[in-house]
């Protein structure tokens, strides 16, 4: 039984995207007036439009697939259309997409309007180029040779589907002995085989398939295009039926009749030809324009750059508005390539537009004269060749309009907007170095900057004033401005305002004066009120503003006459110069990041191996004996031995030492380990230890990898300290092991010096000193051959001796730790007495904190010493040199230190006799010397600069 129609549709996963796709597709076809075939079939198989749309879209869409050869066949392989007659199946699949999805693809994927249905869905799916198909350029094929069985050839690059041609066949001629072949002969048809019915039982057994077996002719037997070769095996019938495929239905494409409605362009051309033929018969020939350039054709006109230039110079308001609108966009997007030199007259036109701003506030219309005759011009005429030197005086003589009302008229607002656009264009284009140099030669622009900075105070011109300052910032480096220059005066006036942005740009513009010229900029005649404000601004937490102030002060202090002004104001208490110097010194460490470095001063010196196993102190023996075996032996081994790959000890010596120490503490419940178990436990305790036998005449059994300790270690890993006090007349040192430095000091005071104690447990140094004086004796230090009191024959003060003994212990006092923390110089600390953070660990008693022990646990005879340096480095540039506020601050300080001695000479005699050069240097730089030395020692980038400064300061103070 054949599967029911539509069973394939039910297997399609109905996802939300799938449903949404078909809903949008149906709405599209309803709006377009076309029919949607959701049950399209090719070769009897249902075509899923959602899958077809996804596959074609991934391959570039309809036009992309159609432009690739055999691409539609590859798409057909995604739908398993069969291996025979693939060209017909590919075209049928293409037609399904063309009728149902092509227009939808153009609308949704390419966001274009699809061609009308008359030239899309209503015609054949031949060819591609749907995105560029229009009614005017579409020409349906008219010749018969392009039609095959009512279908057009597949334009996707598939093989042309035309009437099959007879193929010449080579057939072996059995009667030819020479093996020659006969060409063009028709093959004999296959022999017919009579139908043989299945004679097996019709009853179904348990092993037979549920499908009924009945002989059916295969699809190949229809029309002679297929062959049917049944086998004698009845089961082959089922195989033939399973492979049965119906004959594919060839799609029939109907071509619409060409009418003026669906192809008006063709009929329009026909009408034109008919009229021309009729006119020719009457002798009225139509003139031919072939090869002629008609008005409005063949020439695109000037580009946008020339167009805006011509419009700006046309003096037509509408054209100028058009030009300024486009110039703003061009200067912003193409300012890096839009140069004034390539467009003569552009800069002049923009400057003339900017000068119109005066007409909004004054009764004047500026004119520019380029006559170089040296004559005096009228008030409204500007000197375009050399600049107008008296522009500020002319502005003062102008009559001002009454603009106190903040309400603006439409005409005023429109004119000001266009003037602002002209200013923005020049501002944007001046950022390019070539344009800035070109504009610096335009003296009318220099006059405009003076005019714009002296306009009446009005919120409406704030934007234009900022544009003027931005332009000045880019151009002042090409100008040399003296103290009488109108622009220089106008810029200094801006520093009296409250607009941070205007002040910041003004400071930068003044600091850049003459930057690109050979002559240096000498800032003079700066009002003391401006200098005072700059000094106050350096106290702000505004890095950008402070940097601009320091740049200004650096150039200002480079002139000795200006330093004279500063000293005079300091004398009169008008300006606090010492406060400025203190702030500059503070800025030397602005945003400094702390870094530490460690340098080895002296390496560790290893000690010689101990010659005997150390004797454990009583408190440690008491701790170990409370532990059961084998942990007891492990703790004893760790307390008396340490790892050393190059050392060894005999097994018998190690075993005897263990026995002698713990035999008296052995009990039946906790006996000693047997010798073999003890030797194994050595290897377990130390990773480097292993038992070995040295072969020879008398074999020697050793433990390789350990050696005796100089000082024992307790169960917590803390190392004891040995008392090396050697009493006169004794041949041995004390040798007492003490864990804590405090206990060691008490041991010496009690056992060797024998200072009595009071009932409260305090040492009675007074009575001890009195008793010693009565006996005529003195106290002396016998710690490891110390000779501190040898020259004086000892000391009568036991307290002095007790304090001296502490010097033999590590420097573990509280004050020593504080000095280490706050010390500004190099700190040399033994590695054995340095904590985790590089500082000594002490408590309030003067001894080490926490465990309060000496860290002598080191295989070195003398611990390594290190020098610790803390750096406070400031900003550097890409080359590693100093940069930012610290650099500018030290340069200002250096200028003051160099010029103060020169400035003192120019001061009056009263001041000179009162202080003098040395007095001024001591007054201003004396309190800062310590901070400056600290910066030089701890700030690597500024070390060289501060060193030069300190050299000048020391010479100035010493004279």
């Amino acid at each position: 039984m054949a599967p029911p129609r539509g069973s394939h549709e039910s297997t399609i996963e109905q996802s939300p995207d799938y449903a949404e796709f078909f809903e949008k597709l149906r709405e599209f076809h309803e709006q377009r007036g076309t029919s949607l075939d959701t049950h399209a079939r090719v070769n009897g198989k249902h075509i899923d439009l959602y899958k077809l749309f996804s596959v074609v879209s991934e391959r570039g869409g309809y036009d992309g697939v159609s432009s690739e050869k055999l691409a539609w066949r590859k798409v057909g392989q995604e739908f398993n259309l069969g291996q025979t007659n693939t060209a017909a199946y590919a075209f049928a699949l293409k037609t399904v997409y063309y009728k149902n999805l092509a227009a939808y693809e153009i609308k949704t994927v390419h966001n274009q309007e699809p061609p009308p249905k008359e030239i899309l869905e209503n015609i054949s799916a031949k060819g591609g180029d749907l995105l560029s198909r229009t009614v005017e350029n579409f020409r349906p094929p008219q010749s018969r040779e392009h039609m095959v069985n009512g279908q057009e050839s597949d334009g996707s690059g598939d093989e042309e589907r035309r009437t099959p041609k007879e193929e010449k066949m080579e057939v072996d001629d059995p009667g030819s002995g020479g093996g020659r072949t006969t060409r063009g002969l028709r093959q004999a048809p296959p022999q017919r085989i009579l139908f043989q019915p299945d004679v097996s039982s019709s009853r179904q057994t348990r092993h037979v398939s549920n499908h009924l077996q009945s002989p059916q002719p295969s699809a190949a037997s229809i029309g002679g295009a297929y062959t049917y070769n049944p086998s004698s095996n009845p089961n082959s019938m089922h195989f033939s039926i399973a492979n049965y495929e119906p004959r594919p239905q060839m799609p029939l494409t109907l071509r619409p009749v060409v009418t003026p409605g669906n192809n008006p362009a063709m009929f329009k051309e026909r009408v034109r030809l008919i009229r021309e033929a009729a006119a020719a018969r009457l002798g009225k020939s139509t003139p031919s324009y072939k090869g002629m350039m008609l008005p409005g054709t063949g020439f695109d006109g000037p580009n946008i750059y020339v167009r805006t230039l011509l419009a700006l110079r046309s003096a037509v308001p509408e054209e100028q508005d058009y030009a300024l609108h486009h110039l703003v966009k061009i200067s912003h997007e193409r300012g890096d390539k839009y140069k004034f030199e390539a467009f003569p007259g552009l800069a002049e036109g923009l400057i003339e537009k900017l000068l119109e701003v005066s007409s909004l506030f004054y009764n004047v219309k500026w004119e520019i004269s380029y006559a170089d005759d040296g004559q005096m011009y009228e008030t409204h005429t500007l000197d375009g060749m050399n600049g107008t030197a008296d522009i500020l005086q002319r502005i003062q003589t102008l009559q001002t309009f009454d603009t106190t009302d903040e309400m603006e008229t439409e005409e005023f607002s429109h004119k000001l907007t266009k003037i602002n656009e002209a200013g923005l264009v020049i501002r944007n284009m001046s950022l390019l170095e070539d344009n800035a140099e070109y504009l610096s030669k335009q003296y009318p622009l220099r006059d405009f900057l003076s005019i714009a900075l002296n306009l009446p105070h009005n919120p409406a011109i704030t934007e234009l004033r900022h544009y003027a300052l931005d332009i000045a910032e880019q151009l002042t480096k090409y100008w040399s401005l003296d103290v009488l220059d109108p622009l220089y005066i106008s810029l200094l006036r801006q520093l009296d305002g409250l607009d941070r942005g205007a002040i910041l740009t003004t400071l930068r513009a003044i600091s850049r004066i003459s930057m690109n010229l050979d002559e240096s900029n000498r800032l003079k005649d700066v009002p003391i009120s401006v200098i005072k404000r700059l000094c106050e601004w350096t106290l702000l937490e505004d890095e950008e503003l402070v940097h601009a102030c320091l740049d200004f002060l650096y150039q200002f202090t480079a002139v000795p006459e200006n330093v004279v002004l500063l000293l005079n104001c300091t004398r009169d208490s008008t300006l606090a110069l010492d406060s400025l110097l203190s702030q500059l010194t503070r800025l030397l460490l602005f945003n400094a990041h702390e870094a530490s470095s460690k340098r080895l001063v002296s390496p560790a010196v290893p000690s010689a191996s101990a010659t005997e196993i150390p004797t454990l102190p009583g408190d440690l023996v008491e701790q170990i004996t409370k532990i059961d075996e084998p942990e007891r032996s492990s703790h004893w081994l760790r307390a008396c031995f340490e790892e050393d790959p190059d050392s060894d000890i005999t097994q018998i010596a190690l075993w005897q030492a263990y026995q002698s120490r713990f035999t008296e503490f052995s009990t039946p419940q906790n006996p000693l380990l047997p010798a073999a178990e003890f030797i194994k436990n050595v290897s377990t305790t130390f990773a480097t230890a292993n038992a070995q036998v040295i072969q020879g005449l008398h074999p020697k059994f050793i433990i390789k990898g350990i050696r005796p300790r100089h000082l024992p270690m307790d169960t917590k890993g803390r190392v004891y300290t040995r008392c090396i006090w050697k009493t006169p007349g004794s041949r041995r040192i004390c040798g007492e092991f003490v864990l804590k430095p405090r206990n060691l000091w008490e041991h010496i005071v009690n056992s060797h010096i024998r200072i009595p104690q009071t009932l409260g447990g305090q040492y009675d140094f007074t009575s001890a000193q009195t008793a010693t004086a009565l006996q005529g004796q003195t106290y002396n230090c016998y710690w490891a051959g110390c000779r501190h009191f040898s020259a004086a024959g000892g000391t009568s003060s036991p307290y002095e001796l007790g304090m001296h003994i502490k010097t033999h212990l590590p420097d573990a006092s509280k004050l020593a730790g504080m000095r280490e923390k706050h010390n500004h110089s190099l700190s040399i600390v033994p590695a054995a007495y340095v904590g985790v953070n590089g500082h000594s660990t002490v408590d309030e008693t003067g001894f080490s904190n926490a465990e309060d022990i000496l860290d002598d646990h080191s295989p070195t005879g003398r611990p390594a010493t290190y020098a610790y340096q803390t750096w406070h480095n400031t900003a550097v540039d890409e080359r590693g040199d100093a940069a930012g506020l610290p650099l500018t601050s030290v340069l200002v300080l250096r200028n003051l230190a160099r010029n103060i001695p020169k400035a003192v000479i120019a001061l009056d005699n009263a001041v000179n006799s009162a202080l003098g050069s040395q007095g001024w240097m001591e007054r201003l730089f004396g309190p800062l010397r310590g901070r400056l030395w600290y910066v030089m020692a701890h700030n690597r980038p500024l070390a060289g600069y501060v060193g030069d400064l300190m050299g000048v300061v020391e010479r100035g103070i010493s004279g």
Side-chain angles (χ1 to χ4, degrees):
M1 180 177 179
R5 182 178 182 88
S7 61
H8 180 74
E9 290 87 338
S10 63
T11 62
I12 300 175
E13 182 180 358
Q14 302 292 332
S15 63
D17 294 340
Y18 185 91
E20 183 182 1
F21 171 81
F22 274 97
E23 182 179 355
K24 293 182 179 179
L25 186 60
R26 289 190 184 94
E27 292 178 359
F28 176 82
H29 278 278
E30 289 177 2
Q31 296 176 1
R32 186 170 172 82
T34 54
S35 59
L36 173 63
D37 184 10
T38 58
H39 300 285
R41 291 178 174 273
V42 174
N43 193 19
K45 297 184 178 181
H46 177 266
I47 301 300
D48 180 9
L49 297 182
Y50 180 72
K51 178 180 178 182
L52 179 61
F53 184 81
S54 302
V55 172
V56 175
S57 298
E58 291 177 357
R59 292 177 175 268
Y62 182 90
D63 287 350
V65 177
S66 299
S67 62
E68 182 183 350
K69 188 175 182 180
L70 303 180
W72 282 106
R73 295 191 183 185
K74 297 177 182 178
V75 175
Q77 293 176 0
E78 300 284 339
F79 296 85
N80 299 322
L81 299 180
Q83 300 298 327
T84 60
N85 206 2
T86 56
Y89 299 153
F91 186 80
L93 185 64
K94 177 182 179 183
T95 303
V96 171
Y97 190 95
Y98 182 85
K99 297 292 186 180
N100 298 283
L101 300 172
Y104 181 74
E105 173 198 329
I106 298 174
K107 182 67 175 179
T108 58
V109 177
H110 302 288
N111 295 324
Q112 299 182 14
E113 284 297 325
K117 62 182 179 179
E118 289 77 9
I119 61 173
L120 189 58
E121 289 91 342
N122 295 348
I123 63 175
S124 172
K126 174 189 175 182
D129 298 330
L130 295 185
L131 293 176
S132 60
R133 181 182 295 184
T134 60
V135 176
E136 290 76 12
N137 62 18
F138 180 67
R139 296 290 184 272
Q142 301 296 327
S143 61
R144 176 68 179 173
E145 63 182 0
H146 293 284
M147 304 295 297
V148 180
N149 295 331
Q151 301 175 358
E152 297 185 10
S153 61
D154 186 0
S156 68
D158 290 344
E159 298 175 356
E160 295 183 353
R161 301 175 61 254
R162 300 181 179 178
T163 304
K165 298 180 180 180
E166 278 190 346
E167 298 180 359
K168 295 182 178 181
M169 306 175 62
E170 297 182 4
V171 182
D172 293 338
D173 185 2
S176 175
R180 297 178 57 186
T181 60
T182 303
R183 300 180 181 276
L185 298 181
R186 180 178 180 183
Q187 286 184 333
Q191 295 182 358
R192 296 185 179 273
I193 301 177
L194 297 179
F195 170 69
Q196 298 178 359
D198 188 6
V199 297
S200 61
S201 175
S202 60
R203 295 186 63 182
Q204 301 296 324
T205 64
R206 297 179 183 269
H207 306 286
V208 180
S209 172
N210 292 330
H211 298 283
L212 297 179
Q213 300 180 4
S214 60
Q216 300 252 356
S218 66
S221 63
I222 302 176
Y226 301 88
T227 60
Y228 174 63
N229 298 320
S231 173
S232 60
N233 186 2
N235 293 331
S236 63
M237 295 294 184
H238 173 70
F239 179 78
S240 299
I241 294 174
N243 290 341
Y244 169 75
E245 292 184 2
R247 180 182 183 129
Q249 298 179 359
M250 304 304 293
L252 179 62
T253 303
L254 299 178
R255 292 182 52 81
V257 178
V258 180
T259 64
N262 58 25
N263 198 345
M266 184 182 69
F267 280 88
K268 182 179 180 181
E269 181 66 16
R270 288 182 181 179
V271 171
R272 186 186 64 81
L273 295 176
I274 293 173
R275 289 179 179 178
E276 290 181 357
R281 288 194 299 269
L282 297 176
K284 299 179 180 180
S285 59
T286 304
S288 176
Y289 300 105
K290 187 176 182 181
M292 297 178 60
M293 182 179 295
L294 299 179
T297 62
F299 179 67
D300 297 334
N303 57 34
I304 187 62
Y305 304 109
V306 179
R307 175 75 175 86
T308 53
L309 173 60
L310 298 177
L312 182 65
R313 304 294 291 175
S314 65
V316 179
E318 292 78 7
E319 289 293 321
Q320 290 183 340
D321 294 350
Y322 166 85
L324 292 173
H325 173 76
H326 287 279
L327 283 173
V328 169
K329 185 176 181 180
I330 293 173
S331 64
H332 175 69
E333 297 178 354
R334 305 290 294 175
D336 56 334
K337 297 184 179 179
Y338 197 37
K339 298 182 180 181
F340 285 116
E341 293 181 349
F343 301 94
L346 177 60
E348 291 79 359
L350 292 171
I351 296 172
E352 292 175 1
K353 190 65 178 178
L354 287 174
L355 291 173
E356 294 180 6
V357 69
S358 297
S359 302
L360 301 178
F361 299 93
Y362 302 107
N363 186 20
V364 66
K365 183 177 181 181
W366 297 110
E367 296 181 359
I368 302 175
S369 175
Y370 292 95
D372 192 11
D373 50 9
Q375 64 179 358
M376 298 296 295
Y377 297 104
E378 298 181 3
T379 303
H380 64 279
T381 304
L382 303 178
D383 187 357
M385 297 297 295
N386 304 303
T388 308
D390 59 344
I391 185 64
L392 297 182
Q393 291 77 8
R394 296 190 185 188
I395 293 176
Q396 293 177 355
T397 61
L398 297 177
Q399 181 180 358
T400 306
F401 293 148
D402 185 10
T403 57
T404 56
D405 190 359
E406 294 184 358
M407 297 295 293
E408 301 175 358
T409 63
E410 182 179 0
E411 180 183 4
F412 180 92
S413 178
H414 178 74
K415 288 184 178 180
L416 186 58
T417 299
K418 296 305 171 183
I419 293 172
N420 286 336
E421 289 181 355
L424 179 58
V425 171
I426 294 184
R427 181 261 182 195
N428 290 343
M429 297 185 65
S430 64
L431 299 178
L432 188 63
E433 201 66 28
D434 294 341
N435 287 336
E437 186 176 2
Y438 181 89
L439 290 173
S440 65
K441 303 174 184 177
Q442 301 293 325
Y443 286 94
L445 178 60
R446 192 164 166 176
D447 292 337
F448 160 74
L449 296 178
S450 300
I451 294 172
L453 297 179
N454 290 276
L455 289 173
H457 293 284
N458 192 311
I461 61 171
T462 302
E463 181 181 357
L464 183 63
R465 182 179 288 110
H466 279 281
Y467 291 156
L469 291 174
D470 289 340
I471 296 171
E473 180 183 354
Q474 301 299 324
L475 302 185
T476 51
K477 54 188 174 184
Y478 297 100
W479 292 335
S480 176
L481 306 180
D482 55 24
V483 296
L484 300 178
D485 191 281
L487 181 57
Y488 181 75
I489 298 174
S490 301
L491 290 173
L492 289 178
R493 291 176 180 176
Q494 301 302 309
L495 298 178
D496 294 330
L498 299 176
D499 189 339
R500 175 187 176 277
I503 293 173
L504 191 60
T505 311
T506 301
L507 290 173
R508 291 172 177 170
I510 296 176
S511 300
R512 294 186 179 188
I513 295 176
S514 305
M515 182 182 295
N516 288 12
L517 303 180
D518 294 336
E519 56 181 310
S520 60
N521 179 29
R522 297 175 63 86
L523 297 180
K524 293 184 178 181
D525 290 354
V526 180
I528 192 61
S529 59
V530 172
I531 300 300
K532 187 176 180 180
R533 297 191 75 187
L534 293 179
C535 295
E536 294 172 351
W537 289 339
T538 57
L539 299 173
L540 300 176
E541 295 295 332
D542 188 340
E543 182 177 356
E544 193 174 13
L545 180 59
V546 174
H547 199 288
C549 294
L550 293 181
D551 285 341
F552 185 96
L553 290 175
Y554 169 70
Q555 298 191 32
F556 182 80
T557 55
V559 182
E561 292 81 357
N562 294 335
V563 180
V564 173
L565 176 64
L566 296 178
L567 295 181
N568 278 327
C569 293
T570 303
R571 180 193 62 182
D572 300 338
S573 300
T574 307
L575 179 69
L577 186 58
D578 49 353
S579 299
L580 174 63
L581 268 61
S582 178
Q583 174 64 8
L584 294 176
T585 305
R586 184 183 70 86
L587 291 176
L588 295 179
L589 295 178
F590 179 79
N591 280 349
H593 60 277
E594 184 174 336
S596 300
S597 63
K598 176 181 177 182
R599 179 173 58 87
L600 179 65
V601 176
S602 60
V605 178
S607 63
S609 300
T611 57
E612 59 183 11
I613 300 174
T615 302
L616 297 184
D619 58 340
L620 181 57
V621 173
E622 183 179 357
Q623 296 177 22
I624 296 178
T625 54
K626 295 179 181 180
I627 305 174
D628 296 335
E629 294 290 356
E631 286 78 9
R632 180 173 61 184
S633 62
S634 297
H635 282 289
W636 177 78
L637 288 170
R638 294 192 191 98
C640 298
F641 297 90
E642 61 186 354
E643 294 182 349
D644 185 0
D646 298 328
S647 301
D648 60 79
I649 186 173
T650 61
Q651 297 181 14
I652 186 63
L654 187 60
W655 167 249
Q656 290 176 352
Y658 169 69
Q659 276 188 321
S660 63
R661 168 51 59 188
F662 295 106
T663 299
E664 59 179 310
F665 303 104
S666 177
T667 62
Q669 293 78 15
N670 190 17
L672 298 181
L673 287 178
E677 294 296 331
F678 175 76
I679 297 302
K680 291 181 180 179
N681 195 36
V682 175
S683 301
T684 304
T685 305
F686 298 104
T688 59
N690 58 86
Q692 297 181 4
V693 178
I694 300 178
Q695 300 295 337
L697 182 60
H698 300 286
K700 186 178 181 181
F701 297 87
I702 65 171
I703 298 293
K704 181 72 173 178
I706 61 174
R707 70 173 183 179
R709 287 181 175 274
H710 289 274
L711 302 173
M713 182 177 67
D714 72 349
T715 57
K716 295 183 180 180
R718 300 175 297 182
V719 179
Y720 284 79
T721 303
R722 174 181 293 179
C723 177
I724 55 176
W725 190 278
K726 186 177 181 181
T727 305
S730 176
R731 303 178 62 181
R732 297 175 59 87
I733 62 175
C734 173
E736 181 74 18
F737 290 109
V738 182
L739 184 61
K740 299 179 180 181
R742 182 185 313 165
N743 296 342
L744 177 59
W745 184 82
E746 293 175 352
H747 162 74
I748 296 174
V749 173
N750 292 329
S751 302
H752 300 297
I753 305 178
R754 298 192 176 109
I755 303 297
Q757 294 184 354
T758 63
L759 297 178
Q762 298 180 349
Y763 292 101
D764 190 358
F765 291 100
T766 303
S767 61
Q769 182 175 357
T770 303
T772 304
L774 294 176
Q775 297 175 5
Q777 299 178 356
T778 59
Y779 293 97
N780 210 334
C781 179
Y782 300 105
W783 180 275
C786 175
R787 299 179 180 274
H788 181 71
F789 298 103
S790 298
T795 177
S796 60
S797 173
Y799 179 80
E800 181 181 3
L801 176 60
M803 294 299 103
H804 166 72
I805 291 173
K806 289 185 177 181
T807 63
H808 295 296
L809 304 180
D811 187 8
S813 65
K814 182 177 180 180
L815 294 179
M818 295 176 62
R819 287 194 298 270
E820 173 63 25
K821 180 178 180 181
H822 300 287
N823 194 2
H824 291 170
S825 60
L826 293 179
S827 302
I828 301 178
V829 183
Y833 308 135
V834 177
V836 177
N837 297 325
H839 303 297
S840 298
T841 55
V842 298
D843 62 8
E844 66 279 0
T845 63
F847 296 95
S848 59
N849 61 4
E851 299 297 338
D852 196 21
I853 61 172
L854 291 175
D855 187 9
D856 285 338
H857 181 213
S858 174
T860 59
R862 185 180 66 196
T865 56
Y866 297 91
Y868 293 87
Q869 172 71 59
T870 301
W871 301 97
H872 300 280
N873 297 325
T874 51
V876 295
D877 56 14
E878 61 276 2
R879 297 178 299 177
D881 298 334
L885 293 182
L887 174 62
T888 316
S889 300
V890 72
L891 294 179
V892 175
L893 289 171
R894 192 176 63 180
N895 281 349
L896 290 171
R898 289 176 176 177
N899 291 326
I900 283 177
K902 302 177 184 178
V904 170
I905 299 176
L907 292 176
D908 55 87
N909 294 331
V911 177
N912 193 16
S913 60
L915 291 178
S917 175
Q918 299 179 15
W920 277 106
M921 293 294 291
E922 179 64 32
R923 173 183 173 181
L924 296 177
F925 286 96
L928 307 176
R929 294 167 69 183
R931 295 163 61 185
L932 293 175
W933 285 119
Y934 176 78
V935 172
M936 186 181 71
H938 293 81
N939 193 335
R940 284 177 173 174
L942 287 184
Y945 296 96
V946 180
D948 294 342
L949 170 63
M950 292 306 298
V952 177
V953 170
E954 295 298 332
R955 289 193 297 271
I957 293 177
S958 61

